[in-house]
Amino acid sequence: MGTMLFQILYLVGYFFTNTFQMTKQITSLEDYQSTYKYSIENPENFWEEQANTFNWFKPFDKILEWNFEEPEIKWFVNGKLNITYNCLDRHIEVKGNQVAILWEPNNPNENVKKYTFKTLLSEVNKCANALKAKGITKGDRVIFYMPMVPELAIGVLACARIGAIHSVVFAGFSARALADRVDDAQAKMIVCSDYNNRGNKCIQVKQVVDDAMDLSCNSIETVLVHQNTGGEVNWSDDCDVWWHDLVDNQSDVCEPEWMDSEDMLFILYTSGSTGKPKGVVHTCGGYMVYTCYSFKNVFQYKEGDVYWCTADIGWITGHSYIVYGPLLAGATTMMFEGVPTYPDAGRFWSICEKHKVNQFYTAPTAIRALMAKGDEWPQKYDLSSIKVLGSVGEPINVEAWEWYDKHIGKGKAPIVDTWWQTETGGILITPLPGITDTKPTFASYPMPGVQPVLVDTEGNEKIGNGIEGLLCIKFPWPSMLRTTYGDHDRCCQTYFSPFKGYYFTGDGAKRDEEGRIRIIGRVDDVINVSGHRIGTAEVENAINAHPEVIESAVVGFPHEIKGQGIYAYVIVDGNINSNDEFISEVLKVVVKEIGPIAKPDEIQIVSGLPKTRSGKIMRRILRKIASKDISNLGDISTLLNPEVVDEIIEQAGLKA
Ligand code: WTA
């Protein structure tokens, strides 16, 4: 009882001290420049001030402890908080009836759903109590495999409410990919839907979970199934539970679990240059402070605005800028269930008109795809509410940037080309709309508190402007990854060992004469297909699972809509009946092992792969051939098998 009274007093005290403080918003270029300078000279003071705008159950007693060798990074040391308290409870008094989540269904004729901060809190609490009823406690892992329905956001927040660690798996991944993630996380529960409406397709979601359970998933005790469309599903009484049976009649009160700043909030799997996807780990305190700060500043969100990010919550963009960032900032955030081209190519713009969207955040691949459908689509709609346009996930080409600016922003909505990664947790390099200038294809300037540098291959910092190098960050920021789940050494090897004393991003970048940064793209074996990160090694492993495949090499090549396409060179064992049949079998294997997003666009059957004398595949050459550019192949005479290069070029139809 004593502790409870103490808790209440604490909360009341904090509530009052924090009611009128909000995360700071930069308002002018001078403000950005002085804030940036201050944040670099006094990073701890700067982040302490931001952190103090949140409700802490127990204040932190140190701001930062770090080293990039092990690495070990701790922000807001010994602070106690709950991120959902800051997303929901603390907004109740002032804006309890404001819409927090606005949900637009796949079918435009179905009803929109609105959750106010008050109703969202009730739903989150009910779900949190349901998780508890199924034995989920602090530290347990819960996997989400769901379409873009409100229950996904509710479920994720319910985990955070009770200190369970969520790991959302994009619902386009295959049963095998899902099972791998469940096993790696040793999750106790999967939350899924029965089916998923996407455009005019209906996708069997529960069936994929069943298939994953047949493959492995031995740690799973419960599968919580949300009835989304209705329809027959296979049912296992041992572990399956309907959401409406378990969640709906729970109490809507659930005390938040007070988490340490450095307790895990979530794991999100992402591709790297080696085979297995890694579980990027984010923790509670720093992630909270950074996602809110960056959301407010990058989108210049104002009270009453309607903000829409079209990403899927299965990716980091959805975590940070559909769920956490906007809710922390008390914003109205929209979730869209469908696809940009259903029922027609005007859907995005019709939604912008319908909900008077003020900030619109999407990926270049969507812009390119819609641009190809013609200017008449956006012209049909009133887009005058749009104040800020965002781009994320891959480099945006000049044509797409200009079309976005002209046809969507009508030349008056600044485009924020935001560069960041699953690992960075939040946007690190971006223009600030109406504050810093914008230049097509440039992510431009670092956020306050972010110290990007370009290094050469030896790890020496390249100073000055008008240079190119490998993008590293030399000082911690609050939302950076802390480890890769279950394998800290891998985190160290991937991000901190390449260049001592720096976090290495895997991207190459340029700095123009005025100091703006332009991201060139990955310098490792990761490709970016329609804004989705795919490891070439992952695709190779999938292809190699075909019994007739001896070896394969996968590279990216420029693709008009997707940004990059996937090109696979495959060596086949013996004779296959027909190339077409074989190729369609290979595609099926990739879909089975990973999912449709990893399907190669081109498959070339070859007799050998160009290799160095030490047996390393010369991907550089394969990339050039895939790009149909065979000028400057370099010296190939030192290869183990130079003749194979000519053969591949000829087969690809590139020789006159
Ligand atoms: C790429 C997505 C150019 C980059 C948030 C990075 C970008 C990878 C941009 C991370 C951008 C992201 N311009 N490239 N504005 N944003 N990238 O983890 O190569 O899915 O390393 O996070 O996407 O992809 P991830």
Side-chain angles (χ1 to χ4, degrees), residues 589-606:
V589 173
V590 174
V591 171
K592 180 159 169 268
E593 296 289 313
I594 307 175
I597 56 171
K599 261 191 346 196
D601 299 272
E602 301 282 345
I603 296 179
Q604 184 176 345
I605 299 168
V606 294

Side-chain angles (χ1 to χ4, degrees), residues 239-396:
C239 58
D240 294 348
V241 188
W242 283 113
W243 178 290
H244 52 262
D245 287 340
L246 182 69
V247 178
D248 287 359
N249 44 27
Q250 296 286 337
S251 153
D252 67 356
V253 177
C254 176
E255 285 302 311
E257 181 79 31
W258 298 111
M259 307 290 284
D260 190 272
S261 294
E262 286 302 332
D263 279 338
M264 277 186 210
L265 175 63
F266 66 85
I267 305 168
L268 187 57
Y269 286 86
T270 191
S271 299
S273 35
T274 51
K276 217 175 112 210
K278 45 188 177 250
V280 169
V281 169
H282 285 288
T283 58
C284 296
Y287 182 81
M288 170 177 79
V289 172
Y290 195 86
T291 52
C292 183
Y293 181 79
S294 53
F295 171 77
K296 285 196 76 163
N297 281 290
V298 174
F299 299 102
Q300 288 289 307
Y301 185 87
K302 301 280 182 309
E303 287 299 314
D305 284 350
V306 174
Y307 160 87
W308 181 21
C309 165
T310 70
D312 190 289
I313 295 177
W315 312 114
I316 190 69
T317 307
H319 282 64
S320 302
Y321 299 111
I322 295 178
V323 181
Y324 287 112
L327 294 177
L328 286 162
T332 298
T333 176
M334 189 154 77
M335 259 180 97
F336 174 42
E337 186 185 29
V339 295
T341 48
Y342 178 81
D344 58 43
R347 186 67 193 276
F348 270 6
W349 323 127
S350 109
I351 296 175
C352 286
E353 176 184 278
K354 176 173 170 188
H355 297 294
K356 301 199 169 46
V357 169
N358 301 109
Q359 290 89 3
F360 177 75
Y361 191 28
T362 197
T365 190
I367 301 168
R368 288 190 294 263
L370 295 176
M371 179 169 89
K373 302 279 180 191
D375 303 347
E376 62 273 24
W377 290 104
Q379 270 157 21
K380 289 187 191 169
Y381 300 95
D382 176 6
L383 301 178
S384 60
S385 57
I386 296 176
K387 297 190 282 189
V388 177
L389 292 173
S391 171
V392 60
E394 46 173 326
I396 180 166

Side-chain angles (χ1 to χ4, degrees), residues 219-232:
S219 56
I220 295 295
E221 294 169 6
T222 311
V223 177
L224 178 59
V225 189
H226 171 249
Q227 192 170 43
N228 184 31
T229 59
E232 288 284 296

Side-chain angles (χ1 to χ4, degrees), residues 270 316-317 391-396 417-423 443 505 507 519 521-522 528 531 533:
T270 191
I316 190 69
T317 307
S391 171
V392 60
E394 46 173 326
I396 180 166
D417 177 358
T418 64
W419 175 85
W420 59 298
Q421 310 178 293
T422 307
E423 294 85 345
T505 64
D507 280 318
I519 307 298
R522 304 289 306 195
N528 199 323
R533 240 169 102 164

Side-chain angles (χ1 to χ4, degrees), residues 459-470:
N460 303 308
E461 262 181 55
K462 291 178 136 184
I463 309 295
N465 291 338
I467 51 150
E468 189 173 322
L470 302 165

Side-chain angles (χ1 to χ4, degrees), residues 404-544:
Y404 201 29
D405 179 45
K406 181 167 171 213
H407 293 276
I408 311 304
K410 317 286 181 194
K412 59 179 184 45
I415 296 175
V416 290
D417 177 358
T418 64
W419 175 85
W420 59 298
Q421 310 178 293
T422 307
E423 294 85 345
T424 69
I427 297 165
L428 297 195
I429 304 179
T430 177
L432 296 179
I435 292 167
T436 60
D437 56 16
T438 60
K439 179 173 169 185
T441 75
F442 281 77
S444 301
Y445 306 106
M447 287 290 291
V450 174
Q451 302 189 34
V453 293
L454 300 181
V455 303
D456 65 19
T457 47
E458 256 77 70
N460 303 308
E461 262 181 55
K462 291 178 136 184
I463 309 295
N465 291 338
I467 51 150
E468 189 173 322
L470 302 165
L471 180 62
C472 292
I473 316 284
K474 76 168 180 191
F475 193 84
W477 64 99
S479 64
M480 68 186 298
L481 87 163
R482 301 300 195 260
T483 187
T484 45
Y485 191 74
D487 193 351
H488 193 62
D489 190 49
R490 190 167 178 201
C491 171
C492 185
Q493 294 306 326
T494 312
Y495 307 106
F496 298 92
S497 299
F499 305 110
K500 212 172 144 27
Y502 299 98
Y503 165 81
F504 175 47
T505 64
D507 280 318
K510 280 182 184 171
R511 197 155 46 217
D512 75 0
E513 295 300 339
E514 285 87 36
R516 293 183 205 88
I517 293 174
R518 173 182 185 167
I519 307 298
I520 301 167
R522 304 289 306 195
V523 294
D524 53 10
D525 292 321
V526 171
I527 49 185
N528 199 323
V529 182
S530 299
H532 301 149
R533 240 169 102 164
I534 295 173
T536 53
E538 254 177 285
V539 185
E540 287 164 8
N541 289 344
I543 294 175
N544 298 349

Side-chain angles (χ1 to χ4, degrees), residues 76 86 93 98 122 138 202 214 239 254 264 321 330 380 391 397 442 466 473 484 498 569 576 628:
F76 313 119
N86 285 284
E93 193 174 79
Q98 182 201 300
S122 299
K138 181 176 172 184
C202 186
D214 287 343
C239 58
C254 176
M264 277 186 210
Y321 299 111
K380 289 187 191 169
S391 171
N397 49 313
F442 281 77
I473 316 284
T484 45
Y569 299 88
I576 43 173
K628 305 204 179 321

